[in-house]
Each structure stands twice: as structure tokens, then as C-alpha cells.
Amino acid sequence: QVQLVESGGGLVQPGGSLRLSCAASANIFSINAMGWYRQAPGKQRELVAAITRSSTTNYADSVKGRFTISRDNAKSTVYLQMNSLKPEDTAVYYCNANIVTPKTYNAMDYWGKGTLVTVSS
């Protein structure tokens, strides 16, 4: 059973920084795209940033220039460095990965349980 385990959320003041991590556990053949989504109270889940296996990145306009997504394929881990945080960045952040397992050799999307980021003074 593939699991995505997020860490790094918490409370930070406006203008501060946080680094989120998401590690994929269990038996994995390969990981294609990985990404971070977020969902604020009363809003739909939205894409924050995504990264392909070859490290091509894509960002939501609202975070461009402030957030950086990266990955370590050897560790099956994706990171999200968040700088210059704003109150409107407050949300539950979810990790997503498109993973191929040796059980089926089919690619499937997996989600983490989410980590709360609160930006407040």
C-alpha cells in the first residue's frame, strides 16, 4: 500500500517561510509527476505547484516567485519551499504523486492526508 507522508506545516507569521516535505513509502517502481495542492476553508482544492520526473515545474500564478518545488527521486520525496508567506496562503496542503507500483505496473494518483499551514500574526 503506497502512502504519502507530509511534514513541515505549522504556524508562521506573514513574510515568514516554511518548507513542506512529502515522502512516498512502500514498494514503488517509479514516480511520474509530483505536486502540491491546497484547500482553504470554504474553497476548492487548487494546484499550487507541480514537478515532472525530469524536474520541469509549474506554479499557480499566486505563488510564482515565492514558492519553489523540488524533488529527490532517490528518496521518493517532493519538497515545497514557501517564502514570503501571506495570510491568504493559509490552507491544508496536500501532496500528490502519480506512482507506478510493481504490483500492477499501472500509474495511479495517490494523495497525502494533508498538513495545515497557518499564516497569521
Side-chain angles (χ1 to χ4, degrees), residues 95-112:
C95 174
N96 169 266
N98 187 258
I99 295 174
V100 179
T101 65
K103 183 177 181 180
T104 66
Y105 291 102
N106 290 325
M108 291 181 59
D109 275 346
Y110 292 87
W111 291 89

Side-chain angles (χ1 to χ4, degrees), residues 47-66:
L47 174 68
V48 176
I51 185 168
T52 66
R53 183 168 178 80
S54 58
S55 295
T56 299
T57 58
N58 179 44
Y59 295 93
D61 287 343
S62 59
V63 307
K64 282 182 181 176
R66 300 188 298 121

